[in-house]
């Protein structure tokens, strides 16, 4: 049983015991948890009962305290009235009838006062509500001494026994003072404790409740309880738990047994204001907790009932566990018996099922008696349907006739017959080989036949494949077959044609005879290791023909093993790939190399940069990407021809190649742009930067030497941009963009310059792109405004203004012209904006033309060289003049020296055409450009404008002062007006005036302001 079920009876018993212990443990745990909850609920209820009782006692104590305060307060009020009368009358006088009446009146009408007396400063009773009281002396009493020494002003004593009648009283005393504030005696009232006792007796009380008044010495002043129990007035109680409370004067709740009636009570003690009296309210603890005990008993009964019910359920569960274990044992015994029977049957089935062949048993009539088939698809119909049926009812007609003949021959002759046939199964033909044998009974009589059938479809296919393989051996591929030791056994005609050898020259030899020595020994060791470990290898090999010619071939080597897995042959197929290799080389050259220079082209260069980035991730050695651009290459093409330009590019490629390492990549990206990739320079970025700077410098220096193009020597300059490859987080395009930014910076810096990329370049480019986009919006929505800066003569009189363009950006406010004017020119927007500026200035001239002061002012308008060279510039300007009809003699167009570098004759014609309309011309920023005297003499200029960079240094720089002085003299010799811009200090103005400059512009005379503010400044 244990062998079949996987566990022993001892394991079953242990499992049962564990389950029983677990159930008992759960029951006990649950019972303890419920008991804990019940205990918590009961204790919480007890605390609530105690809290309710304490609240009731506090209410009782509050009522009693208020009444006691009233009683003691009456006594104090009476003494206060007496002290007031005594102070008014000038002191204690035994003959004072009014004072005597007052004493008698207070004694009769104030219930709490038993007797009143007045003492002089010697402690003798001068006057009292009782005549017998007069003449007594209190000089030696503690009460009198406390007043005489000035320690107190008023006091209420604890319960004191009277020496006359041996009765207990409470004494209330008050200090009396003379007119000078000295001690004049004291007024004393005697309070009877019975008044408190009578008041307590009137209170309704519950069973076990008590109310007691005690003094600070814990003496009983009054007490009332239910049931009523007699007590002794002045009896001292031992309230040990409340001693600290009596000393501190705070409320206190405690539980103790009564020293008067012996009952266990819960007490609440509270002081009566600042009097030496305490109210003690008590409740019988048994009465307080009576309801709680009843509820606790009910909870306990419920807990016991739940425990009994749980015990009954636990007992029932444990019994079911035992019965379940017994039932499982019975089931396991039945399963074991069944398993034994199935095991015997399965052995027989396993023996039959291990046979791969089909088995059919027929009776003597030819009906199916037994069918064995491993797979259903090997049969025509389900075997269960075939049992009992005659073979002629199932087999096709042709096979039925064949099998009938064989069946009859086996029955007659008793010999074994063999037959092969074909059936259509699963939509395809299957071939079978059948062995038909006779069966006999115990009497050796014929009882049927046994047919053992084997599916030979795969064998048929294998035979066909062998025939195909034999035909395929003579194919366009060369085939070589060797034995396990590598001896050549057979080759086909293609192999012989490729190598040039005959069978006689190859059979019995080793394939090493074809070796070209192109590959090393390590290559062949690795190749044969792969063949022996994986069974095949294929790849490209260079071999040698019989005539000694080396050729590339694609070879596949396969290891052939027999049924036991032992190596028997090697088969190699080869194809001559000489032509394909040549074609691939040509395609590769066209795809990845520049046809003019033979350098790497853009595609291959980008692939190598991509590979360098991946390598950087594995080995953190930094590199550099460089871009080189030939300065003014277009001029060489235009002057010397494109053939010379191609020669120049080839010469540059050769010089750069000689200066680089084999591991570096030089590429021509297109046109006159070359790129260099420096890989794995150094693990330090700073060191890499330094080395890259040195390499780039050497490359630039190598190109400074003259180059020979045809018969001419040509000297070129090259600009370079470099970026460091220091992170694989950026893409190839990112690095190319960075290098291109650096190259642009180099060209903008004057060419023949090397610049390294830094993030500031990219930030500037992004800002420039955003600003250009905003500029286009500004052009559409006309976000422009013209500001006017005054121009004055030598006397400070206003002679004209310069119109200056201002752009109010929607987000950034006023944008500096130095930022957006170059963008307007580079983007071509300056033409449209310049036309707007000119038209606004003309409108302003027209508006001022009728004003007596403003009508004589000129307006200077800056004309960009880009705008001036634009086709149709004159037509645009004349169109503005035609629309506005402004007085053009007051219009001055300011141009810069860069305008005259290209085609000065065309510029002259344009200027003359506009001057015929009355327009005047001023040469702006004179001295900062080409400053050619030739064009000054030829061009129709009216004014020279000295640049502010010279003006602002005339006082500090002798060179700049000389330039300004020369410019003034030059203008005077050419009959040109001269105006100095950027005048900001009075000293500059005085110097210019002293040296013959008679017109000025600058912050000293006014800043550029909107037209409304300008008019306000001029006219006020």
């Amino acid at each position: 049983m244990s062998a079949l079920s996987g566990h022993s009876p001892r394991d079953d018993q242990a499992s049962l015991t564990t389950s029983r212990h677990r159930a008992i443990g759960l029951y006990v745990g649950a019972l303890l948890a419920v008991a804990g909850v019940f205990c918590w609920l009961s204790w919480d209820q007890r605390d609530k009962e105690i809290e309710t009782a304490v609240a009731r006692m506090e209410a009782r104590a509050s009522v009693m305290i208020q009444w006691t305060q009233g009683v003691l307060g009456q006594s104090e009020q009476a003494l206060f009235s007496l002290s007031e009368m005594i102070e008014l009358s000038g002191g204690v006088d035994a003959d004072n009838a009014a004072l005597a009446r007052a004493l008698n009146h207070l004694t009769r009408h104030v219930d709490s006062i038993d007797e009143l007396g007045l003492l002089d400063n010697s402690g003798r009773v001068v006057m009292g509500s009782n005549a017998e009281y007069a003449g007594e002396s209190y000089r030696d009493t503690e009460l009198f001494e406390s007043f005489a020494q000035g320690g107190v002003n008023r006091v209420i004593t604890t319960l004191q026994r009277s020496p006359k009648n041996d009765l207990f009283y409470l004494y209330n005393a008050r200090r009396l003072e003379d007119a000078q504030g000295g001690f004049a005696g004291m007024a004393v009232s005697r309070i009877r404790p019975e008044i408190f006792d009578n008041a307590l007796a009137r209170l309704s009380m519950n069973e076990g409740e008590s109310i007691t008044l005690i003094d600070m010495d814990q003496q009983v002043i009054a007490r009332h309880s239910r049931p009523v129990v007699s007590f002794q007035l002045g009896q001292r109680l031992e309230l040990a738990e409340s001693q600290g409370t009596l000393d501190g004067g705070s409320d206190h709740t405690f539980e103790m047994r009564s020293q008067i009636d012996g009952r266990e009570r819960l007490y609440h003690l509270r002081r009566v204001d600042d009097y030496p009296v305490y109210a003690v309210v008590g409740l019988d603890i048994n009465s307080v907790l009576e309801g709680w005990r009843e509820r606790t008993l009910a909870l306990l009964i419920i807990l016991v009932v739940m425990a009994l019910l749980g015990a009954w359920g636990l007992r029932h569960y444990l019994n079911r566990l035992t019965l379940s274990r017994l039932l499982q044992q019975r089931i396991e015994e039945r399963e074991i018996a069944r398993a034994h029977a199935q095991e015997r049957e399965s052995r027989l089935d396993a023996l039959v099922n291990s046979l791969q062949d089909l088995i059919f048993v027929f009776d003597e009539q030819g009906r199916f008696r037994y069918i064995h088939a491993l797979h259903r698809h090997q049969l025509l119909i389900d075997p269960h349907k075939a049992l009992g049926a005659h073979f002629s009812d199932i087999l096709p007609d042709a096979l039925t006739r064949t099998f009938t003949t064989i069946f009859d021959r086996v029955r007659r002759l008793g010999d074994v017959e063999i037959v092969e046939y074909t059936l259509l199964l699963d939509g395809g033909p299957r071939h079978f080989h059948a062995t038909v044998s006779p069966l006999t009974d115990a009497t050796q009589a014929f009882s049927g036949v046994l047919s053992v059938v084997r599916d030979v479809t795969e064998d048929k296919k294998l035979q066909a494949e062998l025939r195909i393989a034999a035909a395929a051996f003579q194919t366009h591929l060369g085939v070589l077959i060797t034995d396990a030791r590598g001896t050549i056994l057979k080759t086909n005609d293609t192999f012989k044609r490729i190598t040039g050898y005959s069978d006689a020259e190859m059979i019995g030899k080793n394939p090493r005879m074809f070796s070209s020595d192109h590959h090393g020994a390590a290559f062949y060791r690795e190749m044969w290791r792969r063949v022996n470990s994986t069974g095949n290898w294929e790849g490209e090999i260079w071999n040698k023909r019989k005539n000694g010619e080396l050729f590339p071939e694609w070879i596949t080597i396969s290891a052939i093993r027999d049924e036991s897995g032992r190596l028997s042959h090697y088969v190699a197929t080869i194809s001559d790939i000489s032509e394909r290799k040549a074609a691939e080389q040509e395609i590769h050259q066209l795809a990845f190399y520049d046809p003019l220079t033979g350098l790497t082209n853009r595609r291959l260069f980008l692939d190598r940069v991509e590979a360098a980035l991946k390598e950087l991730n594995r080995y953190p050695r930094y590199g550099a990407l460089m871009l080189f651009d030939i300065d003014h290459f277009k001029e060489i093409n235009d002057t010397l021809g494109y053939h010379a330009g191609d020669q120049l590019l080839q010469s540059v490629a050769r010089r750069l190649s000689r200066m680089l390492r084999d591991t570096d990549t030089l590429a021509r990206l297109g046109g006159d742009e070359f790129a260099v990739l420096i890989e794995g320079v150094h693990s330090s970025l700073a060191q890499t930067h330094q080395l890259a700077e040195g390499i780039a410098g050497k490359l630039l220096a190598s190109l400074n030497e003259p180059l020979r193009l045809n018969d001419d020597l040509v000297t070129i300059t090259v600009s370079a941009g470099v970026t460091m490859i220091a992170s694989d987080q950026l893409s190839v395009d990112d690095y190319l963009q960075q290098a291109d930014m650096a190259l642009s910076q180099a060209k903008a810096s004057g060419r023949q310059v090397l610049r390294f990329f830094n993030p500031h370049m990219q930030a500037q480019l992004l800002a420039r792109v955003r600003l250009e986009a905003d500029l286009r919006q500004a052009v559409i929505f006309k976000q422009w405004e013209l500001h006017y800066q005054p121009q004055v003569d030598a006397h400070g009189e206003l002679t004209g203004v310069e119109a200056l363009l201002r752009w109010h950006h929607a987000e950034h406010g006023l944008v500096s012209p130095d930022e957006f004017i170059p963008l307007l020119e580079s983007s071509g927007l300056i033409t449209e904006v310049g036309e707007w500026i000119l038209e606004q200035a003309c409108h302003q001239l027209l508006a001022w033309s009728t004003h007596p002061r403003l009508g004589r002012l000129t307006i200077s308008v800056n004309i960009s060289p880009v705008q001036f060279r634009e086709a149709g510039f004159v037509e645009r300007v004349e169109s503005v003049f035609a629309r506005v009809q402004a007085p053009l003699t007051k219009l001055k167009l300011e141009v810069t020296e860069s305008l005259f570098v290209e085609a000065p004759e065309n510029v002259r014609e344009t200027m003359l055409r506009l001057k015929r309309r009355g327009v005047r011309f001023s040469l702006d920023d004179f001295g900062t450009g080409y400053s050619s005297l030739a064009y000054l003499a030829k061009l129709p200029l009216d004014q020279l404008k000295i640049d502010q960079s010279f003006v602002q240094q005339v006082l500090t720089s002798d060179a700049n002062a000389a330039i300004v002085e020369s410019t003034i003299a030059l203008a005077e010799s050419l009959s040109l007006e001269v105006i100095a811009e950027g005048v900001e200090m009075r000293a500059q103005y005085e110097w210019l005036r002293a040296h013959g400059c008679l017109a000025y512009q600058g912050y000293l005379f006014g800043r550029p302001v909107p037209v409304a503010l300008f008019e306000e400044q001029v006219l006020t």
Side-chain angles (χ1 to χ4, degrees):
M1 173 179 175
S2 61
L4 294 174
S5 62
H7 56 271
S8 64
R10 183 178 299 174
D11 295 335
D12 295 338
Q13 185 61 35
S15 176
L16 178 61
T17 302
T18 301
S19 300
R20 292 171 64 87
H21 288 170
R22 187 183 295 112
I24 294 172
L26 288 174
Y27 166 72
V28 173
L31 186 61
L32 291 176
V34 173
V37 172
F38 279 11
C39 290
W40 175 78
L41 291 174
S42 176
W43 197 257
D44 183 66
Q45 188 63 36
R46 184 182 186 281
D47 291 343
K48 291 180 179 178
E49 292 288 351
I50 295 296
E51 290 176 2
T52 302
V54 170
R56 190 161 66 245
M57 290 190 296
E58 289 177 348
R60 283 281 194 181
S62 298
V63 173
M64 191 62 200
I65 286 170
Q66 291 178 3
W67 182 81
T68 304
Q69 286 176 343
V71 171
L72 298 177
Q74 288 179 351
S75 173
E76 284 201 312
Q77 185 63 37
L79 294 180
F80 177 76
S81 300
L82 284 176
S83 66
E84 291 290 324
M85 291 181 63
I86 292 170
E87 289 180 5
L88 292 174
S89 61
V92 179
D93 186 2
D95 298 329
N96 192 331
L99 193 59
R101 286 196 301 273
L103 288 173
N104 293 328
H105 177 79
L106 289 172
T107 304
R108 287 196 308 270
H109 292 90
V110 179
D111 295 338
S112 61
I113 299 176
D114 178 63
E115 194 172 87
L116 282 171
L118 300 176
L119 282 68
D120 60 12
N121 56 7
S122 64
R124 185 175 61 84
V125 177
V126 178
M127 183 181 293
S129 59
N130 189 343
E132 299 177 356
Y133 194 24
E136 290 188 15
S137 176
Y138 284 83
R139 182 179 183 85
D140 298 329
T141 64
E142 182 179 349
L143 178 63
F144 179 78
E145 289 181 357
S146 63
F147 276 90
Q149 294 175 0
V152 293
N153 291 325
R154 62 185 183 86
V155 70
I156 296 179
T157 69
T158 59
L159 201 63
Q160 305 286 334
R161 189 182 294 275
S162 174
K164 285 188 174 184
N165 51 20
D166 201 31
L167 296 177
F168 284 99
Y169 295 99
L170 294 173
Y171 291 94
N172 189 359
R174 188 177 186 89
R175 177 186 174 92
L176 299 177
E177 297 179 349
D178 54 19
Q180 290 75 29
F183 179 66
M186 52 189 289
V188 181
S189 70
R190 192 171 65 187
I191 303 173
R192 293 178 291 107
E194 288 81 2
I195 191 169
F196 298 104
D197 198 54
N198 294 335
L200 292 178
R202 291 196 296 271
L203 296 176
S204 61
M205 309 186 75
N206 297 325
E207 180 67 25
E209 186 177 3
S210 70
I211 302 177
T212 308
L213 290 178
I214 63 175
D215 61 13
M216 290 190 69
D217 296 332
Q218 301 189 31
Q219 299 178 99
V220 178
I221 299 174
R223 184 180 186 278
H224 182 55
S225 64
R226 182 178 177 186
V228 177
V229 177
S230 61
F231 68 96
Q232 185 178 356
L233 184 65
Q235 177 180 352
R236 186 178 296 276
L237 303 178
E238 298 296 334
L239 304 180
E241 294 88 344
S242 63
Q243 187 60 45
T245 304
L246 291 178
D247 295 339
S250 60
D251 294 358
H252 186 57
T253 301
F254 57 94
E255 184 179 337
M256 66 174 288
R257 185 176 298 279
S258 174
Q259 299 174 16
I260 297 177
D261 58 10
R263 299 185 71 159
E264 188 75 22
R265 285 189 176 88
L266 181 68
Y267 289 100
H268 181 73
L269 180 145
R270 183 183 294 181
R271 185 171 179 173
V272 180
D273 202 7
D274 56 350
Y275 301 118
V277 179
Y278 292 85
V280 182
V281 180
L283 292 178
D284 190 298
I285 195 67
N286 293 324
S287 300
V288 171
L289 299 178
E290 183 178 1
W292 171 77
R293 290 194 179 96
E294 292 176 355
R295 287 188 291 275
T296 302
L297 180 60
L299 287 174
L300 183 60
I301 293 172
I302 293 173
L303 179 62
V304 171
V305 171
M306 291 177 65
L308 293 175
L309 289 174
W312 177 83
L314 176 64
R315 179 175 175 274
H316 179 68
Y317 175 74
L318 294 177
N319 289 337
R320 287 192 62 186
L321 280 179
T322 304
L323 291 175
S324 175
R325 182 66 257 170
L326 291 174
L327 178 60
Q328 184 178 355
Q329 290 177 355
R330 298 294 183 269
I331 293 173
E332 288 178 353
E333 290 173 356
R334 284 185 57 191
E335 291 298 324
I336 290 171
R338 180 182 300 172
H340 285 313
Q342 290 178 347
E343 184 178 359
R344 288 192 297 271
E345 184 176 352
S346 64
R347 287 197 189 100
L348 180 60
D349 290 341
L351 179 62
V352 175
N353 290 333
S354 64
L355 300 176
Q356 298 295 319
D357 296 338
L358 302 172
I359 300 176
F360 300 98
V361 177
F362 299 92
D363 61 12
E364 64 275 11
Q365 303 299 325
R367 292 187 293 268
F368 287 96
R369 289 172 54 194
Y370 176 81
I371 299 175
H372 162 70
L374 288 180
H375 305 289
R376 167 65 183 82
H377 65 79
Q378 295 176 309
L379 303 174
L380 290 171
I381 64 172
D382 188 272
H384 298 290
K385 296 179 180 179
L387 291 177
H390 194 273
F391 64 79
S392 61
D393 297 331
I394 297 174
L395 300 179
D397 292 341
L399 184 55
T400 297
R401 290 192 294 271
T402 301
F403 196 70
T404 300
T405 303
I406 293 174
F407 191 88
D408 292 340
R409 195 159 49 238
V410 170
R411 179 169 51 188
R412 285 186 294 102
L413 303 176
D415 294 332
V416 176
E417 294 283 340
I418 295 175
V419 64
E420 290 188 357
Y421 60 91
T422 301
L423 287 177
L424 289 175
L425 297 175
D426 290 338
R430 305 293 296 182
H431 305 282
F432 297 94
H433 179 279
T435 301
V436 182
S437 305
L439 297 175
T440 58
D441 58 14
T443 61
Q444 300 300 314
F446 176 78
S447 61
V449 298
L450 170 66
S451 177
V452 179
V453 180
R454 175 167 297 177
D455 189 340
V456 295
T457 304
E458 297 303 323
D459 294 340
K460 295 284 187 181
K461 288 182 179 179
L462 180 58
Q463 292 173 6
E465 289 175 358
L466 289 175
R467 290 192 297 271
I468 295 171
F473 187 71
Q474 303 301 328
T475 181
H476 68 284
L477 295 176
V479 179
L480 172 72
I481 300 175
T482 72
D483 60 14
R485 292 173 299 184
T487 303
I488 299 175
L489 301 177
K490 188 174 181 59
T491 63
N492 67 352
D493 293 339
T494 306
F495 189 89
K496 288 179 281 190
R497 178 177 51 81
I498 292 173
T499 62
Y501 289 97
S502 64
D503 282 338
E505 294 170 317
M506 291 186 291
I507 302 301
K509 303 290 181 62
N510 191 282
R512 283 193 294 270
M513 64 183 293
F514 309 115
S515 177
S516 64
D517 296 327
H518 188 78
H519 308 283
F523 172 82
Y524 289 107
R525 280 198 301 271
E526 175 63 18
M527 181 185 75
W528 287 110
R529 187 192 67 78
R530 290 282 301 276
V531 172
N532 293 325
S533 62
T534 64
N536 61 79
W537 180 90
E538 65 175 339
E540 182 182 313
I541 287 182
W542 284 79
N543 273 339
K544 183 170 62 176
R545 306 185 204 271
K546 181 180 178 180
N547 59 9
E549 177 188 352
L550 300 182
F551 71 98
E553 64 180 17
W554 187 264
I555 183 170
T556 301
I557 303 175
S558 301
I560 309 300
R561 299 182 182 275
D562 58 18
E563 293 80 0
S564 62
R566 186 173 56 201
L567 180 65
S568 62
H569 298 84
Y570 290 107
V571 176
T573 60
I574 67 169
S575 59
D576 189 346
I577 58 173
S578 301
E579 295 181 1
R580 191 183 76 185
K581 290 287 288 184
E584 287 178 355
Q585 181 64 29
E586 184 177 357
I587 293 172
H588 182 270
Q589 187 69 23
L590 292 174
F592 296 107
Y593 293 91
D594 178 47
L596 176 64
T597 63
L599 298 179
T600 302
N601 64 8
R602 175 182 286 273
R603 177 180 176 184
L604 182 55
F605 184 77
L606 296 181
D607 290 344
R608 291 189 179 176
V609 175
E610 183 74 34
L613 292 180
K614 294 178 180 177
E615 193 70 13
L616 181 65
N617 187 33
R618 297 171 56 196
Y619 306 104
R621 296 182 64 85
Y622 304 118
L625 177 61
M626 306 176 182
L627 290 183
F628 296 89
D629 190 87
I630 301 174
D631 298 330
H632 305 298
F633 179 70
K634 181 177 181 297
E635 297 177 6
I636 295 175
N637 277 335
D638 293 341
T639 57
L640 301 180
Y642 287 99
H643 178 68
D646 291 345
Q647 286 182 317
L648 174 62
L649 294 175
Q650 291 170 344
S651 298
V652 169
R654 284 194 296 271
R655 287 195 179 182
L656 292 176
S657 298
R658 286 198 298 267
M659 300 298 295
L660 294 172
R661 305 172 300 174
D662 292 338
T663 57
D664 300 331
T665 301
L666 172 63
R668 181 187 174 214
L669 301 185
D672 61 329
E673 188 174 46
F674 294 85
V676 176
L677 173 63
I678 309 294
E679 298 184 59
V681 178
H682 205 277
S683 58
S684 167
L685 185 58
Q687 192 72 16
T688 304
H689 187 282
Q690 184 177 356
L691 293 173
E693 186 174 9
I695 294 171
K698 290 180 180 179
L699 293 175
L700 288 178
S702 69
L703 298 175
N704 286 336
E705 299 177 6
L707 297 170
R708 181 168 294 279
L709 301 181
N710 297 327
D711 295 329
D712 299 322
L713 282 177
V714 177
T715 301
I716 63 169
T717 60
V718 175
S719 302
V722 184
T723 185
M724 305 307 299
I725 300 179
S727 171
D728 62 341
Q729 300 301 314
L730 299 179
S731 66
V732 176
D733 290 339
D734 293 333
Y735 280 114
L736 280 176
Q737 185 181 26
Q738 290 179 359
D740 192 58
M741 290 180 193
L743 179 60
S744 298
Q745 284 284 77
K747 286 184 172 294
S749 301
R751 302 179 185 270
Q752 199 177 0
V753 176
L754 170 65
R755 287 288 182 268
F756 276 81
F757 169 80
N758 60 66
H760 182 64
M761 291 182 184
Q762 194 165 16
Q764 285 181 328
L765 180 62
L766 290 175
R768 180 185 176 92
V769 171
R770 294 193 186 100
L771 192 62
E772 184 173 341
D774 293 342
L775 269 178
R776 297 186 182 277
Q777 295 295 317
V779 171
I780 295 174
F781 297 108
K782 297 296 187 292
Q783 297 173 348
W784 314 112
E785 183 179 8
L786 285 184
H787 285 200
Y788 296 92
Q789 186 174 23
Q791 296 176 340
V792 300
D793 59 14
H795 305 290
E797 292 294 327
L798 184 66
T799 59
V801 294
E802 181 180 1
L804 298 172
L805 181 66
R806 295 295 183 264
W807 176 22
H808 286 279
H809 193 280
E811 296 180 5
H812 307 302
L814 203 62
V815 182
S816 171
D818 293 338
E819 294 183 35
F820 70 84
I821 293 296
L823 276 180
L824 285 174
E825 293 180 337
S826 62
S827 62
L829 298 174
I830 191 64
T831 300
E832 184 176 349
V833 176
E835 184 177 346
W836 180 86
I837 296 172
L838 182 62
E839 185 168 351
Q840 294 300 312
C842 290
H843 278 295
Q844 197 60 58
L845 280 175
L846 183 62
W848 287 347
S849 62
T850 58
H851 194 280
R853 294 187 59 187
L854 299 177
R856 58 187 177 84
L857 300 181
T858 63
I859 294 182
S860 299
V861 177
N862 289 284
I863 301 297
S864 167
V866 177
Q867 180 185 4
F868 199 95
R869 296 192 191 101
E870 183 77 20
F873 168 70
V874 175
E875 289 74 12
R876 286 174 176 267
V877 172
E878 290 181 340
S879 174
V880 171
F881 294 164
R883 290 197 301 271
V884 180
Q885 296 296 320
L888 300 182
T889 56
K890 300 295 183 182
L891 178 64
K892 190 187 302 179
L893 301 183
E894 293 191 3
V895 295
T896 60
E897 293 175 299
S898 60
L899 178 65
F900 312 126
V901 177
E902 298 179 8
E905 291 300 326
N906 295 336
V907 174
R908 173 183 169 81
E909 291 300 324
T910 301
M911 294 174 67
L912 289 173
R913 183 172 174 182
L914 293 176
K915 281 183 70 68
R916 296 188 192 104
R917 302 292 300 269
V919 177
R920 302 173 66 201
F921 281 93
S922 174
L923 183 58
D924 194 11
D925 300 335
F926 181 74
T928 61
Y930 297 93
S931 303
S932 172
L933 299 180
Y935 69 73
L936 285 180
K938 292 180 181 180
L939 296 177
L941 293 171
D942 300 285
Q943 186 184 61
L944 293 183
K945 197 169 193 180
I946 305 174
D947 188 69
Q948 60 181 348
S949 61
F950 301 122
V951 172
Q952 292 174 359
Q953 297 186 40
V954 294
L955 302 176
T956 58
S957 172
D958 293 339
N960 284 285
I963 292 173
V964 173
E965 191 173 355
S966 300
T967 302
I968 296 172
L970 176 65
E972 195 173 318
S973 65
L974 295 175
S975 301
L976 297 177
E977 299 176 4
V978 64
I979 183 172
E981 65 175 346
V983 181
E984 297 182 356
M985 296 186 297
R986 185 76 183 179
Q988 295 170 351
Y989 162 68
E990 296 292 346
W991 188 96
L992 290 167
R993 184 178 179 186
H995 287 80
C997 181
L998 304 179
Y1000 321 96
Q1001 177 181 339
Y1003 288 171
L1004 179 63
F1005 310 103
R1007 292 177 177 270
V1009 293
V1011 63
L1013 182 57
F1014 172 77
E1015 292 175 348
E1016 180 181 350
Q1017 293 174 351
V1018 172
L1019 300 177
T1020 55

